Amino acid sequence: MAREARAVRGAERVESTSILIVEDDGTIAGMLSALFRRGGLNPTTVRDGKTALSLVAGSEPPALAVVDLMLPHLDGFSLVAAMRGSPRWKDVPVVMLSARQLPADVTRARELGVREYVQKPFDAKQLLATVLEALGMPPR
């Protein structure tokens, strides 16, 4: 799932930038997948924390993960903690989504190294811009 790129006249051209989406709401997961594809990214979607954890244990890391906080089987905080404990996944940037905006949740996310904490409902264009910025890519 890693990011592959090559230089084109001094500028980076992204061939394939994989994004892992961990979101239990099918409507939101589908919308995120379509949004990121339109943004030139290659999304993979899983619907629960346990499935995402199996990816952390046995798959190549993505360029970035978008993780919902409240997931079945394993919450987003526990998933991000597992990512940080994996030598291959520890540096994957994470954008966390949540309907909760408790200061303690935002603080905990930051302590786990979450790049951005985005409250639902969110603006799709702004979320795409946030993801592209976290990847070091220009906005589209």
Side-chain angles (χ1 to χ4, degrees):
M1 280 194 234
R3 178 179 170 173
E4 300 168 21
R6 65 183 168 136
V8 176
R9 294 185 192 179
E12 183 179 51
R13 185 175 136 224
V14 175
E15 294 296 323
S16 174
T17 302
S18 63
I19 304 295
L20 175 62
I21 301 167
V22 187
E23 170 61 60
D24 61 317
D25 182 304
T27 301
I28 294 173
M31 187 277 302
L32 290 172
S33 186
L35 174 70
F36 295 145
R37 271 196 304 277
R38 282 193 308 274
L41 306 172
N42 181 23
T44 298
T45 304
V46 298
R47 302 282 298 274
D48 65 78
K50 185 177 178 182
T51 303
L53 184 61
S54 70
L55 293 176
V56 172
S59 298
E60 287 298 312
L64 181 137
V66 176
V67 178
D68 186 18
L69 173 57
M70 296 183 295
L71 295 166
H73 310 297
L74 184 77
D75 69 25
F77 289 140
S78 298
L79 176 60
V80 173
M83 290 170 65
R84 297 302 178 237
S86 166
R88 292 186 308 164
W89 285 66
K90 66 181 175 69
D91 296 322
V92 172
V94 175
V95 174
M96 185 166 276
L97 302 178
S98 181
R100 293 172 29 163
Q101 193 65 15
L102 300 172
D105 289 341
V106 176
T107 298
R108 185 166 179 205
R110 295 284 185 219
E111 289 169 350
L112 288 168
V114 168
R115 172 100 185 217
E116 295 290 337
Y117 188 99
V118 177
Q119 184 176 11
K120 295 177 184 177
F122 51 84
D123 177 89
K125 288 181 182 179
Q126 182 59 46
L127 179 61
L128 179 59
T130 297
V131 165
L132 293 174
E133 180 183 329
L135 291 167
M137 298 171 64
R140 299 180 192 227

